[in-house]
């Protein structure tokens, strides 16, 4: 069978005159990431707007993310000819997992590893165990391909906004507490922050593969 279900954006097809490209001779390195995609609802965008506009009173350069997810892997680099076997291996390992809920309602400040970017995000407070189970499967695939596994003791979260530089000092403390108050008071928060995950996705270069949870 085909590995995962491959999805292509409409703009991708438009760019190539409606042809679906295949790359018989493509070489090079493909940035690859495994994650749980978050389906955005209107209420979530309202909450996002409240949070980002408040956080901007502390750090004016914050930019809202355009898509939202919980990462199950680091961003790794795959050779083109490894993509299909990698996706096939993911598909086999993830096939038996069920849909599950998690709650992401704790505001937190993050930086990337070399502290060149700062993020505000919603940390998972329930559902951590199921996320760790998925990561352990993804990690096994990474090991098969000699790629870096996920962080030890991860903080699972949905990133909401980012800025350049290490601005942890400006965003933690008072700002973070005020952001948490906004989350706690938001009337639709239960609806928005209790998430049922229905699929896992792998993005490699400009290709997307989906693995439905049962």
């Amino acid at each position: 069978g085909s590995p995962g279900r491959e999805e292509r954006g409409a703009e991708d097809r438009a760019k190539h005159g409606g042809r679906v490209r295949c790359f018989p001779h493509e070489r090079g390195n493909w940035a690859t990431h495994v994650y749980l995609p978050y389906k955005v609802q209107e209420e979530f965008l309202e909450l996002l707007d409240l949070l980002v506009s408040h956080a901007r009173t502390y750090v004016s350069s914050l930019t809202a993310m355009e898509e939202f997810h919980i990462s199950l892997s680091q961003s790794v680099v795959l050779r083109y000819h490894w993509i299909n076997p990698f996706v096939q291996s993911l598909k086999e390992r993830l096939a038996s997992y069920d849909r599950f809920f998690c709650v992401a309602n704790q505001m937190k400040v993050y930086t990337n590893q070399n502290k060149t970017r700062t993020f505000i995000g919603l940390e998972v407070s329930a559902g951590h165990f199921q996320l760790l189970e998925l990561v352990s499967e993804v990690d096994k695939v990474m090991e098969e391909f000699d790629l870096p596994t996920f962080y030890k003791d991860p903080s699972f979260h949905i990133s909401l906004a980012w800025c350049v530089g290490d601005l942890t000092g400006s965003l933690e403390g008072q700002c973070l507490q005020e952001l948490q108050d906004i989350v706690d008071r938001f009337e639709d928060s239960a609806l928005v922050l209790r998430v049922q995950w229905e699929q896992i996705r792998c993005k490699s270069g400009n290709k997307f593969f989906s693995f439905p949870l049962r």
Side-chain angles (χ1 to χ4, degrees):
S2 65
R5 205 171 66 248
E6 189 176 329
E7 298 167 7
R8 291 175 183 279
E11 75 273 36
D12 210 56
R13 278 195 296 276
K15 252 189 303 211
H16 304 279
R19 293 194 316 278
V20 172
R21 276 179 308 181
C22 55
F23 311 83
H25 309 297
E26 190 73 24
R27 291 287 170 267
N29 297 323
W30 290 56
T32 302
H33 177 221
V34 182
Y35 59 94
L36 292 161
Y38 175 69
K39 274 212 300 269
V40 171
Q41 310 168 45
E42 214 175 310
E43 293 85 354
F44 173 79
L45 294 175
E46 282 171 34
L47 176 58
L48 178 71
D49 192 46
L50 290 172
L51 292 168
V52 174
S53 53
H54 187 73
R56 278 194 187 128
T57 63
Y58 290 85
V59 173
S60 59
S61 60
L62 269 177
T63 306
M65 308 295 283
E66 288 173 6
E67 60 91 35
F68 303 89
H69 61 263
I70 289 183
S71 290
L72 300 174
S73 80
Q74 299 191 50
S75 186
V76 298
V77 173
L78 264 185
R79 305 290 301 167
Y80 178 74
H81 57 274
W82 287 353
I83 295 174
N84 279 351
F86 179 86
V87 167
Q88 190 59 46
S89 184
L90 273 178
K91 183 187 180 184
E92 286 161 14
R93 289 200 177 276
L94 298 171
S96 59
Y97 283 86
D98 294 321
R99 295 177 177 198
F100 66 99
F101 280 100
C102 82
V103 177
N105 60 2
Q106 300 298 308
M107 287 300 305
K108 202 159 170 185
V109 178
Y110 298 90
T111 57
N112 61 352
Q113 275 178 305
N114 49 10
K115 297 200 183 300
T116 54
R117 285 188 174 200
T118 308
F119 300 83
I120 55 171
L122 283 163
E123 186 180 33
V124 167
S125 62
H128 193 80
F129 176 74
Q130 287 96 327
L131 291 165
L132 282 175
E133 281 195 316
L134 293 176
V135 165
S136 78
E137 297 296 346
V138 174
D139 275 350
K140 287 173 199 156
V141 178
M142 294 297 179
E143 283 166 354
E144 272 176 59
F145 290 84
D146 285 324
L147 294 166
T149 54
F150 203 46
Y151 313 105
K152 293 293 156 249
D153 303 319
S155 163
F156 294 107
H157 60 279
I158 300 172
S159 291
L160 302 177
W162 66 278
C163 60
V164 170
D166 182 356
L167 284 141
T168 316
S170 310
L171 291 165
E172 280 185 339
Q174 187 181 351
C175 175
L176 194 60
Q177 185 53 59
E178 290 164 0
L179 295 175
Q180 188 63 52
D181 291 342
I182 291 172
V183 171
D184 294 343
R185 284 200 309 266
F186 187 67
E187 58 182 328
D188 292 318
S189 69
L191 176 71
V192 171
L193 303 177
R194 182 172 182 265
V195 186
Q196 186 181 33
W197 303 106
E198 296 178 357
Q199 57 171 308
I200 296 165
R201 200 168 280 169
C202 173
K203 179 178 197 288
S204 190
N206 57 1
K207 294 173 174 248
F208 292 85
F209 303 90
S210 291
F211 312 93
L213 294 164
R214 294 199 304 195

